[in-house]
Amino acid sequence: MQNGSAAQTIAVLGAICDEIERSKDYLCELDAALGDGDHGVSMAKSFNAVKAKLPDLAGGDVSAILHSVGMTLISEVGGAMGPLFGTAFLRAGKAADGKSAISPADVAEMLAAAEAGVIQRGKAQPGDKTMLDAIHPAVEAARQAEAAGAGTAGVLAAAAEAAQAGAVSTKELVAKVGRASRLGERTLGHQDPGATSVSIILRVAADALADANAPAANADTGR
Ligand code: ADP
Ligand code: MG
């Protein structure tokens, strides 16, 4: 039987897919300065494929849903992003294995697992001007927020804020890996598209979760 976290996960994923589609042109513009200008198209293509599969995932738990999203991303997307984002979702799903409800600590560990997967798959490190420069600070912020007693929405909000700052900070980095590394110093001043996508995904997830939690809180207090 489906639990609340699973239904919430599907709703959050739907919101992510829609926002990636809306951000397509912006992500392509960022990639035009650093790579081949296809990042928004690749992301939109892959997340539209995810969106088409969401109705079929309604019976699964969080782990199964994220696993399926990861498999779709890996199989549907060209470029660097499919395997990297796909691995991130697969690992986050694995970290949620066997859990019928997702705790704030689980959120932090799912993000940490996603980061470890991206590092293993792409062989890059934080500081190389990639999506890791958004994921890494997000993991640290999530862990700190969880230790300070934040709920799941609060942990994700802290992660999203750190990812956004991390994405902006890539302007100060020289690309060390991927297509952008060919431009060397000329990558300075430009924001990394993959890090920006991570930041968008976490922002939408945090906002969707906060919205989902808000009406229940209001109902409880009768306001
Ligand atoms: P491609 O480079 O194949 O055109 P995209 O344009 O979709 O792929 O994605 C580019 C993004 O991929 C970069 O902005 C960067 O964040 C990310 N990226 C590239 N190589 C790696 C890597 N080895 N590890 C992590 N992220 C990477
Ligand atoms: Mg590209």
Side-chain angles (χ1 to χ4, degrees), residues 31 36 38-39 42 79-81 84 118 122-124 129-132 177-179 192-195:
D31 194 33
D36 53 2
D38 68 347
H39 183 67
S42 303
M81 285 289 91
L84 292 168
V118 172
K123 312 280 183 247
K129 195 175 179 109
T130 70
M131 60 193 288
L132 286 169
V177 300
R179 217 180 277 280
D192 181 68

Side-chain angles (χ1 to χ4, degrees), residues 14-142:
I16 288 171
C17 295
D18 291 344
E19 190 59 27
I20 291 290
E21 172 64 31
R22 277 193 288 270
S23 308
K24 183 163 68 176
D25 292 347
Y26 171 55
L27 293 171
C28 282
E29 276 167 35
L30 293 179
D31 194 33
L34 289 172
D36 53 2
D38 68 347
H39 183 67
V41 169
S42 303
M43 290 294 287
K45 184 168 170 254
S46 46
F47 279 88
N48 283 329
V50 168
K51 190 165 184 194
K53 295 233 165 102
L54 288 181
D56 301 338
L57 306 182
D61 61 10
V62 173
S63 179
I65 292 165
L66 295 178
H67 179 85
S68 171
V69 169
M71 292 306 289
T72 301
L73 293 175
I74 287 173
S75 58
E76 302 274 344
V77 198
M81 285 289 91
L84 292 168
F85 270 100
T87 301
F89 276 90
L90 284 183
R91 294 296 183 88
K94 202 165 175 212
D97 197 19
K99 296 178 192 295
S100 57
I102 302 300
S103 72
D106 293 334
V107 174
E109 287 323 301
M110 288 161 72
L111 286 171
E115 179 188 14
V118 172
I119 289 174
Q120 193 183 11
R121 182 92 199 202
K123 312 280 183 247
Q125 291 294 326
D128 288 347
K129 195 175 179 109
T130 70
M131 60 193 288
L132 286 169
D133 293 303
I135 299 178
H136 185 70
V139 170
E140 292 194 327

